[in-house]
Amino acid sequence: MGLTADICDEHKDNVVLANPIFHHYGNTTTFSGPVQTVQVFEDNVLVKQALETIPEGSVLVIDGGASRRYALMGDNLAAIAQKRNLAGVIIHGSIRDAGEINKMPVGIFALGTTPFPSIKNGEGKRGTSLRFANTTWEPGSWVYADEDGILVAEKEL
């Protein structure tokens, strides 16, 4: 059984299942960790800052407003996540360089891909509560993600 299936067997009442709107990228298919958040729109300056500074083992959750026009992450930012040993990344938006990212030992869930790079204005917020995919993503809550889905819990299970 997978991570999320086992968690649902033991802790079904303590988790919320995110709507299955995401595609998986990278060759790490299972990850879990505490949530760190970024809210941006078509601008990835704060995404890069978060990748460079959040604690090792964290899951960076990015609310990109569901935009599919500009990528919030490419292979260079995925390499930062890999180098810093982040658990994974969940993006309510798009990535680019999917072919390269799929060869990397990272776990990323995103809505899809686009070739366009992001805007670089540095606008957005870090460390705030986010709401998308029928789920609330609070900094410090826990994410469990694998091929079966993405679960969110208030604390580590």
Side-chain angles (χ1 to χ4, degrees):
M1 261 198 258
L3 172 71
T4 59
D6 289 344
I7 288 171
C8 285
D9 289 347
E10 296 283 324
H11 303 282
K12 183 176 137 190
D13 295 334
N14 298 315
V15 295
V16 174
L17 175 65
N19 284 349
I21 58 175
F22 300 98
H23 300 280
H24 177 264
Y25 302 94
N27 64 26
T28 299
T29 57
T30 301
F31 61 83
S32 64
V35 169
Q36 299 285 329
T37 64
V38 175
Q39 184 174 26
V40 295
F41 188 73
E42 300 180 350
D43 183 331
N44 76 351
V45 172
L46 294 182
V47 172
K48 183 178 181 194
Q49 288 176 3
L51 290 168
E52 293 171 337
T53 59
I54 64 174
E56 181 176 319
S58 296
V59 175
L60 182 59
V61 177
I62 304 162
D63 183 356
S67 174
R68 305 283 299 265
R69 297 187 300 183
Y70 298 94
L72 295 176
M73 176 177 278
D75 61 343
N76 291 332
L77 295 191
I80 295 170
Q82 173 191 337
K83 190 180 310 178
R84 295 213 49 251
N85 295 313
L86 301 184
V89 181
I90 297 170
I91 304 171
H92 192 226
S94 295
I95 68 162
R96 66 187 219 153
D97 305 319
E100 288 302 311
I101 289 173
N102 284 336
K103 297 174 191 171
M104 300 170 73
V106 296
I108 299 168
F109 283 90
L111 296 180
T113 63
T114 180
F116 281 99
S118 78
I119 298 165
K120 307 280 192 233
N121 292 330
E123 296 175 0
K125 299 177 189 170
R126 283 183 60 181
T128 62
S129 175
L130 306 175
R131 178 96 183 136
F132 62 86
N134 197 40
T135 304
T136 300
W137 312 82
E138 295 285 350
S141 61
W142 273 69
V143 167
Y144 300 89
D146 66 11
E147 299 94 330
D148 289 332
I150 300 171
L151 301 174
V152 180
E154 287 184 16
K155 59 184 180 181
E156 184 176 9
L157 301 174

